């Protein structure tokens, strides 16, 4: 199995084949009928699935959104599992019960079937099949509440931890069904979603996809006679069997909106193995000052900025006021004495990157460490110190500004760049890190001049010239 494309291949109705590397999955591949309204699976494809011939060779798993006849045939699925003995099935309890009622049912198939029995409002569940990780959420079938008994499942599936897709079944359009699962949607960006085409025909349909953290979508369940309003919508959709779409992978490092304690923030979640670097001066010895100038310099080297933000406090010449390391070279020494301003609101701290990991540390604790630092910036004050808020922060403080900072998860595997999208005080901002992001240590980078660069989401905050910059480089 040597597949080198991340690709979605349309079969019929809501049947889709997704390939990534050597991993292949199928969604709703063997419907019983299209009722004459929706395209049926071509007989050539059906035979190829049963025989395990290209492009249906090496299938790892099948996911069934719900047990309606235009999505699922119990007898055909039994025959398929018997023919392709290495394939696992994830489906609703309703689909399993239909299979068990068939004459040709074989109880030996149970060890290859993950049955999902979710009630409305139940928490998402997670499942793992080899190199495939997935989650399932029950979202009402279109026409709610008339079809409240239908277990319509949303599957978000990651193949090789490399590409993530989402199949929505026959999702209802009411936004209230999606809101309770905001944390689930934001936990992982979906590279490509397959919504039923009617999602595109409502004014808030695309907003639902955005809310679910979807980068790209292709409509399915399109009738044989494509609706005129779908054609006019400008949306992308599958209508002909054999159509393909390349799946553009989102960066594992991504930014998403967060509302915490009635204030809006943007939080960028980065992997510990991300290429996070500090930048201050260009080749001519001048501060970069703006994201655009840094981006131009990196582009000339064949590199891109994935995410960037201002990286610590600076003086009138835009030089770092504290410890600063870039590309393994120390440019400014560690400052441990009292000083004016927020930097001197002790304890302050250091965000650092070494060859072995990433961390945030209070300054005196950092000074006691023997680290081979690759990149670092000192700023202040500390927002969270060993799980506690800075002792001088007051909940009732009226000093509210736009602020940005950085924190690292307790296991050291995640780094969070955060920026407030409205003025907040220190106490509020620090609690975002401690109570929402659960970072034991977090560092304030600056306020008022705070800026974020997130090209994937089209964000490039304007503002005053900066000193040091923190950036994730690709």
């Amino acid at each position: 199995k040597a597949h080198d494309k991340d690709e979605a291949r349309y079969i019929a109705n809501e049947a889709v084949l997704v390939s990534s590397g050597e991993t292949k999955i199928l969604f709703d591949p063997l419907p019983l009928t299209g009722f004459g309204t929706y395209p049926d699976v071509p007989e050539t494809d059906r035979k190829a699935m049963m025989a395990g011939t290209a492009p249906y060779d090496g299938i790892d798993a099948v996911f069934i959104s719900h047990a309606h006849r235009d999505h699922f045939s119990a007898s055909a699925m039994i025959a398929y599992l018997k023919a392709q003995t290495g394939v696992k099935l994830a489906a609703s309890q309703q689909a399993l019960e239909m299979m068990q009622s068939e004459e040709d049912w074989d109880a030996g198939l149970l060890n290859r079937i993950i049955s999902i029995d979710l009630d409305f409002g139940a928490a998402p569940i997670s499942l793992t099949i080899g190199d495939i990780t997935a989650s399932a959420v029950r979202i009402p079938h279109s026409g709610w509440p008339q079809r409240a008994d239908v277990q319509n499942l949303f599957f978000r599936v990651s193949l090789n931890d490399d590409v993530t897709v989402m199949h929505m079944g026959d999702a209802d359009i009411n936004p209230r069904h999606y809101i309770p699962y905001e944390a689930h949607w934001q936990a992982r960006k979906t590279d490509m979603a397959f919504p039923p085409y009617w999602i595109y025909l409502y004014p808030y349909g695309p907003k639902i996809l955005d809310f679910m953290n979807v980068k790209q979508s292709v409509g399915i369940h399109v009738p044989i006679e494509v609706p005129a309003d779908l054609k006019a919508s400008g949306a992308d959709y599958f209508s002909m069997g054999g159509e393909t779409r390349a799946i553009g992978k989102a960066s594992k490092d991504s930014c998403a909106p967060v509302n915490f304690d009635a204030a809006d923030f943007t939080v960028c979640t980065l992997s510990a193995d991300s290429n996070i670097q500090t930048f201050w001066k260009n080749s001519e010895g001048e501060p970069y000052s703006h994201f655009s100038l840094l981006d131009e310099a990196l582009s000339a080297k064949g590199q891109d900025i994935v995410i960037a933000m201002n990286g610590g406090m600076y003086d009138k010449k835009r030089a770092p006021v504290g410890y600063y390391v870039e590309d393994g070279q120390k440019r400014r020494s560690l400052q441990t004495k009292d000083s004016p301003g927020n930097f001197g609101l002790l304890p302050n701290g250091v965000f650092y990157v070494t060859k072995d990991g990433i961390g945030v540390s209070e300054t005196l604790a950092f000074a006691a460490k023997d680290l081979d630092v690759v990149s670092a910036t000192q700023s202040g004050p500390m927002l969270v110190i060993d799980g506690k808020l800075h002792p001088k922060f007051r909940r009732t403080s009226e000093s509210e500004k736009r602020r940005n900072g950085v924190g690292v998860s307790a296991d050291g595997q995640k780094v969070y760049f955060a920026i407030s999208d409205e003025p907040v005080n220190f106490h509020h901002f620090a609690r975002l890190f401690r109570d929402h992001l659960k970072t034991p240590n977090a560092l304030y980078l600056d306020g008022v001049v705070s800026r974020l660069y997130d090209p994937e989401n089209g964000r490039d905050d304007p503002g005053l010239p900066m000193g040091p910059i923190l950036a994730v480089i690709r």
Side-chain angles (χ1 to χ4, degrees):
K1 298 189 300 183
H3 318 293
D4 56 6
K5 292 182 179 179
D6 296 319
E7 183 179 80
R9 184 183 189 275
Y10 184 56
I11 304 170
N13 198 15
E14 287 202 3
V16 182
L17 165 66
V18 177
S19 305
S20 177
E22 294 188 351
T23 305
K24 288 184 174 183
I25 62 173
L26 288 166
F27 291 108
D28 292 4
L30 292 165
L32 184 64
T33 176
F35 303 116
T37 301
Y38 308 104
D40 291 314
V41 174
E43 189 60 25
T44 53
D45 286 74
R46 189 178 291 265
K47 289 180 178 179
M49 285 186 218
M50 294 298 177
T53 57
Y56 304 106
D57 55 318
I59 300 297
D60 295 280
V62 173
F63 296 85
I64 304 298
S65 65
H66 60 296
H68 280 170
R69 292 190 298 161
D70 54 334
H71 297 262
F72 175 70
S73 166
S75 60
M77 185 51 60
I78 291 170
Y80 177 71
L81 290 176
K82 289 180 177 179
Q84 299 300 316
T85 58
V87 177
K88 300 290 183 67
L89 171 66
S92 68
Q93 179 66 24
Q94 291 174 344
L96 174 60
E97 291 171 357
M98 288 177 64
M99 293 171 66
Q100 290 174 319
S101 68
E102 294 288 321
E103 291 184 1
D104 55 352
W105 166 251
D106 180 350
L109 296 175
L110 279 173
N111 62 9
R112 294 161 52 202
I113 298 175
I114 301 171
S115 63
I116 299 165
D117 193 11
L118 285 175
D119 293 328
F120 285 121
I125 67 164
S126 300
L127 50 143
T128 301
I129 303 171
D131 292 330
I132 298 166
T133 57
S135 62
V137 180
R138 182 171 174 175
I139 297 292
H141 190 288
S142 178
W144 166 270
Q146 285 78 9
R147 294 174 173 175
D149 60 327
V150 178
Q151 290 180 329
N152 185 70
L153 300 177
F154 272 40
F155 286 105
R156 184 175 66 197
V157 185
S158 297
L159 292 74
N160 309 313
D161 198 31
D162 189 43
V163 63
T164 300
V165 295
M166 181 189 292
H167 192 279
M168 298 170 60
D170 283 2
D172 190 70
I173 191 63
N174 194 322
R176 72 176 183 174
H177 303 315
Y178 304 85
I179 293 172
Y181 300 104
E182 179 179 8
H184 175 69
W185 310 131
Q186 296 302 326
R188 189 172 192 119
K189 185 177 285 291
T190 294
D191 300 306
M192 181 176 284
F194 308 110
Y197 78 92
W198 53 79
I199 292 286
Y200 297 123
L201 304 185
Y202 291 82
Y204 40 82
K207 294 181 180 179
I208 289 176
L209 295 173
D210 287 341
F211 180 74
M212 291 196 301
N213 208 7
V214 171
K215 178 182 177 183
Q216 180 184 5
S217 65
V218 184
I220 52 178
H221 213 329
V222 177
I224 297 169
E225 294 294 329
V226 180
D229 49 358
L230 178 60
K231 292 180 180 179
S233 70
D236 191 13
Y237 57 88
F238 284 132
S239 62
M240 299 291 293
E243 285 186 83
T244 62
R245 297 289 188 279
I247 302 174
K249 290 178 287 189
S251 169
K252 292 181 181 179
D253 304 319
S254 60
C255 303
V258 169
N259 185 275
F260 172 72
D261 197 11
D264 290 329
F265 301 85
T266 296
V267 175
C268 304
T269 304
L270 320 175
S271 300
D273 59 359
S274 300
N275 185 14
I276 303 175
Q277 298 184 37
T278 48
F279 295 92
W280 174 22
K281 292 181 178 180
N282 59 24
S283 59
E284 297 177 354
E286 295 295 325
Y288 286 106
S289 300
H290 298 281
F291 298 130
S292 58
L293 297 179
L294 175 59
D295 210 5
E296 288 176 11
L298 291 172
S299 294
K301 300 177 183 179
Q303 298 176 320
D304 295 309
I305 297 177
V306 179
I307 296 165
M309 69 189 329
N310 52 296
M313 296 179 183
Y314 52 95
D315 61 22
K316 293 180 180 180
K317 295 183 179 180
R318 299 195 292 282
V321 297
Y323 181 70
Y324 180 82
V325 178
E326 181 176 331
D327 197 23
Q329 300 296 313
K330 185 172 73 172
R331 306 289 181 86
R332 287 289 187 271
S333 297
L334 194 68
Q335 301 299 316
T336 59
K337 297 180 181 179
D338 288 342
S339 59
N342 288 328
F343 182 90
L345 187 60
L346 302 181
N348 55 25
V350 178
F351 170 72
Y352 61 89
V353 179
T354 71
K355 294 180 180 179
D356 299 319
I358 296 177
V360 169
S361 179
E362 184 271 327
T363 294
L364 295 180
F366 177 81
K369 301 177 188 287
D370 182 18
L371 299 175
D372 185 10
V373 177
V374 177
S375 297
T377 184
Q378 184 181 8
S379 191
M382 287 286 286
L383 297 169
V384 185
I385 310 136
D386 295 331
K388 296 181 180 180
L389 300 188
H390 192 290
K392 295 181 181 178
F393 293 169
R394 293 183 296 108
R395 184 183 287 269
T396 57
S397 171
E398 296 181 357
S399 178
E400 296 185 337
K401 294 180 173 61
R402 194 163 182 246
R403 306 178 187 274
N404 72 297
V406 59
V408 179
S409 62
D411 63 4
Q413 297 304 302
K414 297 289 184 182
V415 180
Y416 301 101
F417 287 177
I419 186 168
S420 65
D421 293 322
E422 60 183 273
V424 294
N425 65 25
F426 271 129
H427 195 279
H428 194 161
F429 192 49
R431 285 187 291 109
L432 170 76
F433 283 94
R434 185 192 65 178
D435 300 339
H436 182 74
L437 300 175
K438 309 297 184 184
T439 61
N441 291 282
L443 178 66
Y444 182 61
L445 292 174
D446 217 334
V448 182
V449 300
S450 299
R451 297 166 63 181
L452 175 66
Y453 181 54
D454 177 19
E456 184 173 299
N457 291 309
R459 179 166 176 173
D460 183 3
D461 293 347
L464 298 170
M466 294 174 285
I469 295 172
L470 278 173
V472 182
I473 306 303
R474 174 175 51 215

